[in-house]
Coordinates of all heavy atoms in Angstrom, one line a residue:
L939 N 9.9 1.8 -14.1 CA 9.8 2.4 -12.8 C 8.8 1.6 -11.9 O 7.7 1.3 -12.4 CB 9.4 3.8 -12.9 CG 9.1 4.6 -11.6 CD1 10.4 4.7 -10.7 CD2 8.5 6.0 -11.9
D940 N 9.2 1.3 -10.7 CA 8.2 0.8 -9.7 C 7.4 1.9 -9.2 O 7.9 2.7 -8.3 CB 8.9 0.0 -8.6 CG 9.6 -1.3 -9.0 OD1 9.0 -1.9 -9.9 OD2 10.6 -1.6 -8.4
V941 N 6.2 2.1 -9.7 CA 5.4 3.3 -9.2 C 4.8 2.9 -7.9 O 4.5 3.8 -7.1 CB 4.3 3.7 -10.2 CG1 5.0 4.1 -11.5 CG2 3.3 2.5 -10.5
V942 N 4.5 1.7 -7.6 CA 4.1 1.2 -6.3 C 4.9 0.0 -5.9 O 5.0 -0.9 -6.7 CB 2.6 0.9 -6.3 CG1 2.1 0.3 -4.9 CG2 1.7 2.1 -6.7
N943 N 5.4 0.0 -4.7 CA 6.2 -1.1 -4.2 C 5.6 -1.7 -3.0 O 5.3 -1.0 -2.0 CB 7.7 -0.6 -3.8 CG 8.6 -1.7 -3.6 OD1 8.8 -2.6 -4.4 ND2 9.3 -1.6 -2.4
E944 N 5.4 -3.0 -3.0 CA 5.0 -3.8 -1.9 C 3.7 -3.3 -1.3 O 3.7 -2.9 -0.1 CB 6.1 -4.0 -0.8 CG 7.3 -4.7 -1.4 CD 8.4 -4.8 -0.4 OE1 8.3 -4.4 0.8 OE2 9.5 -5.3 -0.8
P945 N 2.6 -3.2 -2.1 CA 1.4 -2.6 -1.5 C 0.7 -3.4 -0.5 O -0.1 -2.9 0.3 CB 0.5 -2.4 -2.8 CG 1.0 -3.5 -3.7 CD 2.5 -3.5 -3.5
F946 N 0.9 -4.8 -0.5 CA 0.1 -5.6 0.4 C 0.8 -5.8 1.7 O 2.0 -5.6 1.9 CB -0.2 -7.0 -0.3 CG -1.0 -6.8 -1.5 CD1 -0.6 -7.2 -2.8 CD2 -2.3 -6.3 -1.4 CE1 -1.3 -7.1 -3.9 CE2 -3.1 -6.2 -2.6 CZ -2.6 -6.5 -3.8
D947 N 0.0 -6.4 2.7 CA 0.5 -6.5 4.1 C 1.7 -7.4 4.2 O 2.1 -8.2 3.2 CB -0.6 -7.0 5.0 CG -1.1 -8.4 4.6 OD1 -0.3 -9.3 4.7 OD2 -2.2 -8.6 4.2
L948 N 2.4 -7.3 5.3 CA 3.7 -8.0 5.5 C 3.5 -9.5 5.8 O 4.5 -10.2 5.9 CB 4.5 -7.3 6.6 CG 4.8 -5.8 6.3 CD1 5.6 -5.2 7.5 CD2 5.6 -5.6 5.0
D949 N 2.3 -9.9 6.1 CA 2.0 -11.3 6.5 C 1.6 -12.2 5.3 O 0.9 -13.2 5.5 CB 1.0 -11.3 7.6 CG 1.5 -10.6 8.8 OD1 2.7 -10.7 9.2 OD2 0.6 -9.9 9.5
Q950 N 2.0 -11.8 4.1 CA 1.6 -12.5 2.9 C 0.1 -12.6 2.7 O -0.4 -13.6 2.1 CB 2.3 -13.9 3.0 CG 3.8 -13.9 3.0 CD 4.3 -13.2 1.7 OE1 4.1 -13.6 0.6 NE2 5.1 -12.2 1.9
G951 N -0.6 -11.6 3.2 CA -2.0 -11.5 2.9 C -2.4 -10.7 1.7 O -1.6 -10.5 0.8
T952 N -3.6 -10.3 1.7 CA -4.1 -9.6 0.5 C -4.7 -8.2 0.8 O -5.3 -7.5 0.0 CB -5.2 -10.4 -0.2 OG1 -6.3 -10.6 0.7 CG2 -4.7 -11.7 -0.7
S953 N -4.4 -7.7 2.0 CA -4.9 -6.4 2.4 C -3.8 -5.3 2.1 O -2.6 -5.6 2.3 CB -5.2 -6.3 3.9 OG -6.2 -7.3 4.2
L954 N -4.3 -4.2 1.7 CA -3.3 -3.1 1.4 C -2.7 -2.6 2.7 O -3.4 -2.4 3.7 CB -4.0 -1.9 0.6 CG -4.4 -2.2 -0.8 CD1 -5.2 -1.0 -1.3 CD2 -3.2 -2.5 -1.7
Q955 N -1.4 -2.3 2.7 CA -0.8 -1.6 3.8 C -1.4 -0.2 3.9 O -1.4 0.5 2.9 CB 0.7 -1.5 3.7 CG 1.4 -2.9 3.7 CD 2.9 -2.7 3.9 OE1 3.3 -2.2 4.9 NE2 3.6 -3.2 2.9
E956 N -1.8 0.3 5.1 CA -2.4 1.6 5.2 C -1.2 2.6 5.5 O -1.1 3.2 6.6 CB -3.4 1.6 6.3 CG -4.6 0.7 5.9 CD -5.8 0.8 6.9 OE1 -5.8 1.7 7.7 OE2 -6.7 -0.1 6.8
N957 N -0.4 2.8 4.5 CA 0.7 3.7 4.6 C 0.3 5.2 4.3 O -0.9 5.5 4.2 CB 1.8 3.3 3.6 CG 1.4 3.2 2.2 OD1 0.4 3.9 1.8 ND2 2.0 2.4 1.4
T958 N 1.3 6.1 4.2 CA 1.0 7.5 4.0 C 0.2 7.7 2.7 O -0.8 8.5 2.7 CB 2.3 8.3 3.9 OG1 2.9 8.2 5.2 CG2 2.0 9.7 3.6
W959 N 0.5 7.0 1.7 CA -0.2 7.2 0.4 C -1.6 6.7 0.5 O -2.5 7.4 0.0 CB 0.6 6.4 -0.7 CG 2.0 6.8 -0.9 CD1 3.1 6.5 -0.2 CD2 2.4 7.8 -1.9 NE1 4.2 7.1 -0.7 CE2 3.8 7.9 -1.7 CE3 1.7 8.6 -2.9 CZ2 4.6 8.8 -2.5 CZ3 2.5 9.4 -3.7 CH2 3.9 9.6 -3.5
Y960 N -1.8 5.6 1.2 CA -3.2 5.1 1.5 C -4.0 6.1 2.3 O -5.1 6.4 2.0 CB -3.1 3.8 2.2 CG -4.4 3.1 2.4 CD1 -4.8 2.0 1.7 CD2 -5.2 3.5 3.5 CE1 -6.0 1.3 1.9 CE2 -6.4 2.8 3.8 CZ -6.8 1.8 3.0 OH -8.0 1.1 3.2
R961 N -3.4 6.6 3.4 CA -4.1 7.5 4.3 C -4.4 8.8 3.6 O -5.5 9.4 3.9 CB -3.2 7.9 5.5 CG -3.0 6.7 6.4 CD -2.3 7.1 7.7 NE -1.0 7.5 7.5 CZ -0.6 8.8 7.6 NH1 -1.4 9.8 7.7 NH2 0.7 9.1 7.4
V962 N -3.6 9.3 2.7 CA -3.9 10.6 2.0 C -4.8 10.4 0.8 O -5.8 11.2 0.7 CB -2.5 11.2 1.5 CG1 -2.8 12.4 0.6 CG2 -1.7 11.6 2.7
F963 N -4.7 9.4 0.0 CA -5.5 9.2 -1.2 C -6.5 8.1 -1.2 O -7.4 8.0 -2.1 CB -4.5 9.0 -2.4 CG -3.6 10.1 -2.7 CD1 -2.2 10.0 -2.6 CD2 -4.1 11.3 -3.2 CE1 -1.4 11.0 -2.9 CE2 -3.2 12.4 -3.5 CZ -1.9 12.2 -3.4
G964 N -6.5 7.3 -0.1 CA -7.4 6.2 0.0 C -6.9 4.9 -0.7 O -5.8 4.9 -1.3
P965 N -7.8 3.9 -0.7 CA -7.3 2.6 -1.2 C -7.0 2.5 -2.7 O -6.4 1.6 -3.1 CB -8.5 1.7 -0.8 CG -9.7 2.6 -0.7 CD -9.1 3.8 -0.1
D966 N -7.5 3.5 -3.4 CA -7.2 3.6 -4.9 C -5.9 4.4 -5.2 O -5.8 4.9 -6.3 CB -8.4 4.0 -5.7 CG -9.5 3.0 -5.8 OD1 -9.1 1.8 -5.9 OD2 -10.7 3.3 -5.7

């Protein structure tokens, strides 16, 4: 199972996308 899909930004960088899961639970 893909428990996390495409966590990083769309510009091929290394920053996490600040999606709903990030906003609710934080960067971890």
